[in-house]
Amino acid sequence: MDANPRFALHHRSEVLLAVDPARLFAHLDDHRRLSSHMEKPSLMTAGASMRIETDDRHGQALGSVIRMTGRVLGMRLSLEEVVTAYEPPRHKAWETVGEPRLLVIGGYRMGFEIDQAPGGSRLVVFIDYRLPAKGLSLLLGRVLGGAYAAWCTRRMAEDARAVFGVPSPTSKGRPLDEHRQD
């Protein structure tokens, strides 16, 4: 997870899971499943939901394209992502193309890393992002961008934990969060 100079803001969530890395990667490689939290209205999306579309490679190959569209508070939201790293069963990343039409974050690079761990796998979900360029979105981004980035990575990690569980009864398996700004 090399820092990208275009994205000065970062968040990551980490969780230990009771599943082997190959099976975890196969599960997370389904972008519709991984981003399912975006298709459901929630407080973090101001009640909006996004529709997810993929190209014929389903977001499961280098260069594959993923699109999301939706509406929030009367505003049209949209983004296009391209898969920029694809190394099963260890690493996958995707990045926005152009300037996305989002409310609290601007362009971003997002992905996950999977490592073998005792009893299963260690999953790290990350986002490197920048704030929107101007206007109300910039103001909202300054206030809510970090919370939104944390929600996204945490949601993906928690969704995987709900499916696979944690390696041992002594581990809570809750995502550990890390925020930083370069």
Side-chain angles (χ1 to χ4, degrees):
M1 293 180 295
D2 299 327
N4 186 321
R6 295 184 315 134
F7 307 119
L9 303 167
H10 311 276
H11 188 270
R12 60 183 248 149
S13 294
E14 178 180 330
V15 65
L16 296 175
L17 301 168
V19 62
D20 69 271
R23 189 165 159 224
L24 178 57
F25 188 94
H27 177 82
L28 297 175
D29 196 25
D30 180 340
H31 208 79
R32 294 188 72 94
R33 183 183 301 132
L34 182 67
S35 299
S36 65
H37 62 281
M38 296 300 295
E39 292 186 303
K40 301 171 195 153
S42 74
L43 182 60
M44 286 306 293
T45 61
S49 61
M50 300 288 276
R51 189 172 131 205
I52 301 168
E53 299 175 358
T54 62
D55 63 11
D56 59 351
R57 296 176 289 174
H58 308 288
Q60 297 174 327
L62 197 60
S64 185
V65 176
I66 301 132
R67 290 181 187 84
M68 289 191 222
T69 57
R71 286 189 142 347
V72 64
L73 307 173
M75 287 180 44
R76 185 175 159 262
L77 303 178
S78 63
L79 64 92
E80 184 172 289
E81 304 165 324
V82 65
V83 176
T84 57
Y86 192 78
E87 303 163 20
R90 196 179 149 303
H91 173 69
K92 181 176 179 181
W94 52 95
E95 190 171 312
T96 52
V97 176
E99 192 59 35
R101 292 180 56 123
L102 296 170
L103 206 50
V104 298
I105 65 171
Y108 61 85
R109 176 179 181 261
M110 188 166 202
F112 57 84
E113 295 272 348
I114 300 169
D115 293 312
Q116 187 76 46
S121 299
R122 179 175 72 78
L123 170 65
V124 175
V125 181
F126 66 89
I127 185 168
D128 303 326
Y129 66 101
R130 63 179 176 265
L131 295 178
K134 59 185 177 184
L136 179 60
S137 290
L138 175 59
L139 178 63
L140 290 172
R142 287 182 177 152
V143 175
L144 300 171
Y148 180 79
W151 174 76
C152 280
T153 62
R154 192 176 304 125
R155 184 77 260 146
M156 290 177 182
E158 287 176 356
D159 287 350
R161 181 180 49 82
V163 171
F164 297 110
V166 298
S168 72
T170 59
S171 170
K172 293 188 182 356
R174 294 182 191 212
L176 303 172
D177 292 325
E178 175 190 295
H179 303 270
R180 76 175 197 274
Q181 181 173 345
D182 292 340

